[in-house]
């Protein structure tokens, strides 16, 4: 059982125009009942490990935070309690070290995140029974890490990881139509470098979002532009170098 206290949003944008009232800034406590069962496995003296778990969590009086575009065109931040949000699914985590210096990981999560099907405020009744916002059904990730000695005193390494998430609603204004959905996409990050075998120093060349994947992190209704959407993109490809020293 989890508990999140209620409170007040101290931002006047939470007041509802044209009839503002102080009580509109108040939201109630939220509770969560969570159940999980799983299995942890290990073989080959720890070179192979796997964890699998099934989970079921029900949020009651869920504190839902979103931006509302008022009839005046102004954007208002609203925190409101929704009767229920439920997330159920299965997750798998694995680790494999086939040779010295080589580590492989793989993880996958399937989750069914749905809003409750009754009792919602009239303005948000369209959310009833719908997929949760920012809750993709599938998240899959993996990584490869390899280290090897170069000469007597140097160690080289290579690391790459990827993460895929399926289609999901990414609206910060509670929209769930196709206009507020992001297609599934994958991101790849990588590092390569060399350093002292005693970790006294280390030089890394790295890149995040290596293949410059374009995607929306969040989308919402356009301000003062009725019928439009606007959003924030994920970080584009970045790259750089890092030099580390361990001074003892």
């Amino acid at each position: 059982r989890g508990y999140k206290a209620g409170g007040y949003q101290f931002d006047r944008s939470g007041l509802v125009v044209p009839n503002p009232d102080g009580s509109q800034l108040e939201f109630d406590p939220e509770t969560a009942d969570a159940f999980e069962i799983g299995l942890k496995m290990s073989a080959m003296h720890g070179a192979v490990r796997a964890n699998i778990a099934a989970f079921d969590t029900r949020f009651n009086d869920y504190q839902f935070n979103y931006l509302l575009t008022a009839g005046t065109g102004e954007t208002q931040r609203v925190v409101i309690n929704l009767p229920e949000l439920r997330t159920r699914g299965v997750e798998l985590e694995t680790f494999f070290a086939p040779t010295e210096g080589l580590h492989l990981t793989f993880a996958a999560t399937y989750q069914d995140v749905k809003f409750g099907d009754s009792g919602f405020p009239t303005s948000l009744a369209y959310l009833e029974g719908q997929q949760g916002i920012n809750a993709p059904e599938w998240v899959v990730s993996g990584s490869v890490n390899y280290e090897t000695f170069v000469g007597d005193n140097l160690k080289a390494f290579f690391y790459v990881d990827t993460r895929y998430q399926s289609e999901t609603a990414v609206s910060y204004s509670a929209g769930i139509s196709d206009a507020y959905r992001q297609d599934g996409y994958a991101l790849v990050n990588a590092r390569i470098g060399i350093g002292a075998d005693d970790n006294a120093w280390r030089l890394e060349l790295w890149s995040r979002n290596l293949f410059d994947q374009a995607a929306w992190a969040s989308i919402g209704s356009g301000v003062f532009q009725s019928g439009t959407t606007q959003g924030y993109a994920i970080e584009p490809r970045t790259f750089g170098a890092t030099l580390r020293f361990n001074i003892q």
Side-chain angles (χ1 to χ4, degrees):
R1 163 64 64 87
Y3 172 82
K4 184 188 293 185
Y8 293 86
Q9 176 188 259
F10 287 104
D11 183 339
R12 65 183 179 86
S13 68
L15 296 171
V16 179
V17 178
N19 299 307
D21 184 275
S23 64
Q24 295 163 356
L25 302 179
E26 182 180 6
F27 52 91
D28 294 329
E30 170 191 311
T31 60
D33 296 316
F35 300 88
E36 185 172 346
I37 186 171
L39 183 66
K40 297 179 181 293
M41 298 165 283
S42 178
M44 298 174 60
H45 303 289
V48 178
R49 298 195 297 269
N51 304 326
I52 187 169
F55 57 88
D56 186 338
T57 303
R58 185 191 301 268
F59 297 91
N60 301 298
D61 294 319
Y62 176 65
Q63 295 171 1
F64 186 57
N65 186 341
Y66 71 106
L67 293 181
L68 171 66
T69 301
T72 60
E74 297 180 352
T75 300
Q76 302 168 334
R77 182 174 297 279
V78 179
V79 180
I80 191 170
N81 292 94
L82 300 181
E84 182 182 308
L85 178 74
R86 188 173 185 180
T87 174
R88 294 174 288 185
V90 179
E91 57 186 4
L92 170 70
E93 297 177 344
T94 64
F95 171 85
F96 182 38
T99 62
E100 184 177 358
L102 178 61
H103 296 165
L104 311 174
T105 68
F106 173 81
T109 299
Y110 170 77
Q111 59 180 354
D112 178 30
V113 181
K114 293 288 179 62
F115 289 107
D117 56 13
S118 65
F120 279 46
T122 302
S123 61
L124 295 175
Y126 64 90
L127 292 178
E128 292 181 354
Q130 298 297 316
Q131 179 186 4
I133 295 173
N134 292 317
E137 284 190 336
W138 285 98
V139 176
V140 180
S141 62
S143 69
V144 177
N145 185 45
Y146 180 67
E147 293 186 353
T148 185
F149 287 98
V150 180
D152 295 331
N153 301 310
L154 295 178
K155 184 167 57 177
F157 68 91
F158 168 80
Y159 174 84
V160 61
D161 69 69
T162 184
R163 180 186 184 276
Y164 167 81
Q165 70 173 44
S166 59
E167 179 188 68
T168 185
V170 291
S171 171
Y172 57 75
S173 57
I176 57 173
S177 68
D178 290 344
Y180 299 98
R181 302 191 72 82
Q182 169 61 57
D183 293 337
Y185 66 93
L187 295 178
V188 177
N189 308 306
R191 288 184 286 122
I192 189 171
I194 195 168
D197 62 354
D198 61 357
N199 296 318
W201 63 271
R202 180 166 167 151
L203 175 64
E204 303 178 2
L205 303 178
W206 52 264
S207 177
R208 291 189 292 269
N209 193 359
L210 179 63
F211 297 108
D212 202 22
Q213 171 68 53
W216 292 112
S218 60
I219 308 172
S221 300
V223 179
F224 295 110
Q225 299 178 25
S226 178
T228 65
T229 58
Q230 60 189 26
Y232 301 92
I234 64 172
E235 184 180 31
R237 176 172 54 214
T238 58
F239 53 88
T242 300
L243 179 61
R244 307 175 189 274
F245 291 96
N246 184 13
I247 301 176
Q248 297 180 349

